[in-house]
Amino acid sequence: MAQKLQDPSQQEHQDVMPLLGIDHVEYYVGNARQAAYYYSKAFGFKVTAYAGPETKVRDRASYVCEQNEARYVFTGAMGPDSDIAKHAFEHGDGVKDVALRVPDVAYAYEYATKQGASGVLEPTVIEDEHGKVVRATIAAYGDTVHSFIERENYSGPFLPGYRPEEPVPDDGPDVGIELIDHVVCNVQLGGMNEWAQFYAKVLGFEQLVHFRDDQISSEYTALMSKVMWDGQGRVKLPINEPAPSKKKSQIDEYLEFYRGPGVQHIAMLSKDIIGTVSALRQRGVRFIRVPATYYEDMRPRIGQINEDIEEVERLNILADRDEEGYLLQIFTKNVQDRPTVFYEIIDRHGSRGFGLGNFKELFLAIEREQEERGNL
Ligand code: FE2
């Protein structure tokens, strides 16, 4: 059983570092226009805003893609000398910024840097005819950053400098992604505790769960994971590190191909995972498969659920139960050439967990794919 630490009181957290949620996640990619098309067609996102040369931003093109409260920005470089191009060259398409919405950027930045965070951008007011936004940025693991965004006084489509943009025409089935549930990073061996402490100090986070390597391992590979959160469930950031094992773990494979720490997967919440996964499959999203034997063990373990278990099995969805309820989840294959970033769809029915009971099966499924790539 994973060790659950005491829930901190909400009051305590509001005093330390008030966070309103994940504002958006920004990727640096090789071709932002095509990334926006892929997320529109495959994941059912709507392009809502754009910034680039046409809006007097000379060095980049950025497309904002939204679905309910989940918001991604895909940014590509206009030339070889920018940090965006260097990031894409080094890491492949990957997450640059897990941006957090806060009520007061000046306070958040001062608090975080006083607690030891490295500043990347000091609090900066950006304005246009729709109002003003305050933004600041701190460094996190690898080349990843966290921006703080204050947007109470802004009514434009995204941020100043962006114009509204027509969505990509799309007649695919409705997907029903609600919001970003958690963003998981991989760090190097020995880095997990360091980064857990970073989030505890800099963002006032608490540890929600700790998975030890003996809980998350297969015959060949193992990992350790700590889930850090804001105490209210608005922001959950699990941190994985590889554990010493017989063969190269999936975390080692990530670190090798991403060339350092970074975002491994983003979980998106659905309230109807059967509908969401059916729609995503129709749209061409490919998922990791578990064998039929998984369901023989799973049925007695999960007990009664609201969903049709035959459908759950047909769609290859995973299920896990803990003392608070159950959850259904599924993982996509990597969404770029390098074996780095992937997505999770999660449907929570009381459970605040992360699917500990599924880790082993999932590991075996991931290892089968790692082996196909010659990376195990
Ligand atoms: Fe996850």
Side-chain angles (χ1 to χ4, degrees), residues 32-297:
R33 179 174 296 193
Q34 289 188 5
Y37 187 85
Y38 173 76
Y39 281 86
S40 299
K41 290 292 191 183
F43 283 89
F45 279 78
K46 294 260 180 295
V47 174
T48 55
Y50 167 79
E54 298 86 343
T55 69
K56 300 193 170 57
V57 178
R58 302 302 305 174
D59 69 332
R60 66 187 64 195
S62 295
Y63 293 81
V64 180
C65 293
E66 295 184 77
Q67 187 165 167
N68 296 308
E69 297 193 8
R71 177 159 58 194
Y72 295 101
V73 181
F74 299 97
T75 294
M78 284 294 165
D81 298 323
S82 78
D83 287 345
I84 301 157
K86 287 182 187 127
H87 196 278
F89 177 75
E90 183 73 6
H91 304 295
D93 289 4
V95 171
K96 178 63 186 177
D97 192 349
V98 180
L100 305 169
R101 191 170 165 189
V102 299
D104 183 346
V105 163
Y107 171 85
Y109 183 81
E110 198 194 324
Y111 183 89
T113 50
K114 267 193 179 152
Q115 294 295 322
S118 304
V120 174
L121 172 73
E122 290 191 3
T124 305
V125 177
I126 28 177
E127 278 178 280
D128 67 8
E129 70 269 28
H130 301 292
K132 69 170 192 176
V133 167
V134 191
R135 177 176 202 159
T137 307
I138 59 166
Y141 42 84
D143 287 331
T144 317
V145 300
H146 291 301
S147 285
F148 297 122
I149 308 276
E150 178 187 325
R151 55 165 72 254
E152 260 74 288
N153 301 309
Y154 192 67
S155 62
F158 177 52
L159 294 175
Y162 283 78
R163 71 177 190 199
E165 189 74 359
E166 284 295 306
V168 173
D170 177 40
D171 50 14
D174 200 33
V175 173
I177 285 165
E178 297 284 333
L179 50 84
I180 292 173
D181 184 88
H182 56 274
V183 180
V184 183
C185 69
N186 286 340
V187 299
Q188 274 123 344
L189 184 61
M192 178 183 71
N193 284 329
E194 181 195 323
W195 286 101
Q197 278 161 23
F198 171 88
Y199 284 104
K201 274 175 65 182
V202 164
L203 296 183
F205 277 18
E206 295 281 334
Q207 185 179 308
L208 178 63
V209 204
H210 179 194
F211 300 115
R212 297 184 316 271
D213 51 342
D214 57 328
Q215 295 172 307
I216 318 181
S217 62
S218 70
E219 192 189 342
Y220 295 122
T221 79
L223 69 85
M224 295 192 284
S225 188
K226 277 187 177 175
V227 182
M228 301 302 289
W229 77 322
D230 63 341
Q232 302 184 56
R234 289 173 177 158
V235 184
K236 286 168 278 181
L237 306 176
I239 304 161
N240 296 331
E241 73 171 21
S245 52
K246 281 192 201 162
K247 293 196 180 179
K248 190 194 287 177
S249 80
Q250 50 169 301
I251 310 302
D252 288 315
E253 189 195 33
Y254 174 99
L255 293 168
E256 182 184 329
F257 283 86
Y258 198 75
R259 302 202 160 225
V263 169
Q264 177 213 37
H265 78 266
I266 300 175
M268 302 193 283
L269 187 79
S270 165
K271 287 176 183 158
D272 168 23
I273 197 168
I274 302 279
T276 296
V277 174
S278 302
L280 291 174
R281 284 194 186 281
Q282 275 185 56
R283 286 168 168 274
V285 174
R286 295 163 70 214
F287 295 93
I288 298 262
R289 287 202 73 82
V290 293
T293 49
Y294 169 81
Y295 293 93
E296 291 164 22
D297 301 337

Side-chain angles (χ1 to χ4, degrees), residues 320-374:
D320 195 29
R321 184 176 281 282
D322 59 29
E323 61 276 20
E324 295 178 319
Y326 70 96
L327 62 81
L328 300 167
Q329 64 186 164
I330 192 167
F331 296 84
T332 71
K333 297 191 177 217
N334 298 123
V335 291
Q336 62 291 304
D337 303 321
R338 299 192 201 190
T340 52
V341 186
F342 59 90
Y343 289 92
E344 171 184 353
I345 303 296
I346 187 164
D347 186 353
R348 296 181 178 283
H349 294 263
S351 170
R352 292 185 297 168
F354 294 84
L356 177 63
N358 292 322
F359 278 37
K360 182 140 191 178
E361 236 2 284
L362 208 61
F363 259 46
L364 295 172
I366 291 172
E367 279 168 19
R368 283 192 292 277
E369 303 214 330
Q370 237 180 298
E371 192 152 33
E372 266 181 57
R373 292 190 287 263

